[in-house]
Amino acid sequence: MSDRPKPELGVGVVGYAFMGRVHSQAWRNVGAFFDLPYTPVMAALAGRSRPEVDDAAARMGWASVETDWKALLRRDDVQVVDVCTPGDSHAEIAVAALEAGKHVLCEKPLANTVAEAEAMAAAAAQASERGVRSMVAFNYRRVPAVALAQRLVAEGRLGEIRHVRAQYLQDWITDPEFPLVWRLQRDKAGSGALGDIGAHIIDVAQFVTGDRLVGVSALTETFVKERPLAEESAGLAAGGSATARGEVSVDDAALFIGRLGGGGLASFEATRFATGRKNALRLEVNGSAGSLAFDFEAMNELWFHDNTLDADTAGFRRILVTEPTHPYAGAWWPPGHALGYEHAFTHEVADFVTAIAGGTDPTPSFADGLQVQRVLTAVEESAAGGSGWTTIQPTETD
């Protein structure tokens, strides 16, 4: 390694709640574990409430604060804008940042509507021509076991892909008295379980298989129609009013089947009403030569079946994905020492910084985010129209 100081890359994060905290942890730690071409500098944290953003910045290591995200665009010490706000503000912030020449990392889903996502993808394409990079934060594809699954499929170890089963199961709003937080309001979140967690399994399934959905048939349901108005919230926790209530305007669960472009069949389930399931993102892929299975609640494990082996000894075997040859794992601990939820975000940031330095467009791109948005919209249209088959509009990259 050279002793020459690395150039600095100033970062400004917009949002200091759940995702803002996780992204802050990633920016704070990434340089200690990955040999990056730049030294990330935590220049500024932006949020509307001065007392709260001051407190968050002090706890999470930010050098300064802003109460207006637009101030980040005027700062010479900020080269990256990291968007960790609810979906209703993604398009405005990201497009303005790209036009201002800032690299942009944006939380998922990319936007609340296809029109917003199209505008973001167009702005990203134009910015790329000026050397300005952008990426949507589908963090689960950076889990080492998921990245290994993708590698096995790409190497042909599963053969022809025939079935994909994807689930994201949570239970954090099963209590009907849980308050009406922003994730349960369409104008802020765009959709409910579908966009919040369904977007993740759409991206993971397409990433691992290397194929894209071309059509869906769907059902959605809202089990609790009204909830106490939220008086305070932080992450997935909240306190509510004892008397005032409001309408839940998003889905509580989404269930849909689909077909991949290569002919494989797929099923998806996203719900925040699966009692006992905390964060069970699950994926199983069956191919002509083998199968794999993953569950984020055991995130360091990948189960793999090699169908070419003799039947006497063949079967699923557990791979502990902590070896230095496994994706990302070599930057961390000795084999067998497990990683956690936050590490995927550190891997995300490392890949983003490396792409910026290399002058390449990182993935998943805003165009990838737009494609997922089109799947989400097709699911909603199908569910609203009696579950009829709904074709997904292809993107230019398809």
Side-chain angles (χ1 to χ4, degrees):
M1 294 176 59
S2 172
D3 292 331
R4 181 181 302 175
K6 297 177 182 178
E8 294 183 344
L9 186 71
V11 180
V13 165
V14 188
Y16 52 82
F18 180 21
M19 281 298 106
R21 291 175 62 198
V22 178
H23 283 233
S24 295
Q25 163 115 335
W27 288 112
R28 187 169 61 247
N29 292 332
V30 64
F33 291 91
F34 290 85
D35 184 17
L36 299 177
Y38 289 128
T39 298
V41 175
M42 297 173 66
L45 180 66
R48 288 175 294 185
S49 169
R50 185 58 186 256
E52 292 184 14
V53 75
D54 277 341
D55 178 65
R59 286 186 289 106
M60 295 187 290
W62 292 95
S64 64
V65 301
E66 300 286 355
T67 55
D68 183 352
W69 61 264
K70 294 183 179 69
L72 297 178
L73 311 190
R74 299 188 291 268
R75 292 181 56 149
D76 293 335
D77 62 340
V78 172
Q79 289 82 50
V80 172
V81 173
D82 186 349
V83 184
C84 297
T85 59
D88 62 329
S89 59
H90 285 186
E92 181 185 11
I93 299 172
V95 170
L98 289 168
E99 291 177 345
K102 310 295 185 183
H103 308 291
V104 175
L105 177 62
C106 184
E107 258 302 322
K108 48 51 60 189
L110 185 62
N112 280 2
T113 67
V114 167
E116 288 176 344
E118 287 175 338
M120 295 172 75
Q126 293 169 5
S128 177
E129 296 177 357
R130 307 190 307 273
V132 179
R133 308 301 166 191
S134 56
M135 189 172 82
V136 59
F138 283 116
N139 63 291
Y140 287 109
R141 61 164 66 189
R142 260 86 185 192
V143 173
V146 173
L148 177 60
Q150 186 272 340
R151 190 169 80 190
L152 292 173
V153 173
E155 291 172 350
R157 299 290 296 276
L158 269 66
E160 178 186 348
I161 302 302
R162 291 170 175 166
H163 292 289
V164 176
R165 299 177 192 86
Q167 297 176 312
Y168 204 150
L169 312 176
Q170 296 179 340
D171 71 352
W172 62 276
I173 57 171
T174 53
D175 182 356
E177 296 305 306
F178 185 89
L180 188 68
V181 296
W182 70 264
R183 282 184 169 86
L184 305 180
Q185 301 173 54
R186 176 171 288 276
D187 61 333
K188 296 180 178 64
S191 63
L194 175 62
D196 185 22
I197 56 180
H200 273 303
I201 52 176
I202 293 166
D203 179 71
V204 164
Q206 295 186 144
F207 168 67
V208 169
T209 63
D211 204 354
R212 288 188 165 182
L213 288 161
V214 296
V216 295
S217 173
L219 292 168
T220 60
E221 184 57 64
T222 303
F223 300 115
V224 177
K225 313 295 185 185
E226 290 187 343
R227 291 182 177 274
L229 297 182
E231 294 181 339
E232 59 177 340
S233 65
L236 301 184
S241 168
T243 56
R245 304 181 75 85
E247 178 190 1
V248 176
S249 51
V250 298
D251 59 278
D252 286 331
L255 180 68
F256 60 99
I257 58 172
R259 183 181 293 276
L260 297 170
L265 302 181
S267 65
F268 295 82
E269 181 183 7
T271 179
R272 300 183 290 207
F273 274 73
T275 50
R277 300 299 180 191
K278 299 304 176 183
N279 205 42
L281 186 157
R282 298 168 167 178
L283 179 72
E284 181 166 331
V285 182
N286 306 130
S288 58
S291 296
L292 56 83
F294 169 78
D295 185 342
F296 186 74
E297 290 187 345
M299 65 167 285
N300 292 279
E301 301 176 5
L302 181 68
W303 290 83
F304 175 63
H305 167 64
D306 187 340
N307 202 46
T308 66
L309 298 179
D310 187 281
D312 286 347
T313 55
F316 276 94
R317 55 187 174 88
R318 171 180 170 270
I319 304 170
L320 187 62
V321 190
T322 59
E323 295 294 324
T325 54
H326 289 145
Y328 305 107
W332 297 100
W333 320 122
H337 292 69
L339 301 186
Y341 172 70
E342 73 276 12
H343 291 89
F345 293 87
T346 306
H347 303 158
E348 177 178 86
V349 164
D351 287 346
F352 187 47
V353 172
T354 300
I356 291 171
T360 59
D361 288 318
T363 57
S365 66
F366 277 20
D368 295 327
L370 167 59
Q371 190 271 338
V372 171
Q373 198 73 44
R374 286 179 170 152
V375 177
L376 298 175
T377 297
V379 169
E380 289 196 301
E381 290 176 353
S382 173
S387 305
W389 185 256
T390 304
T391 300
I392 297 164
Q393 179 185 348
T395 63
E396 293 183 0
T397 58
D398 287 347

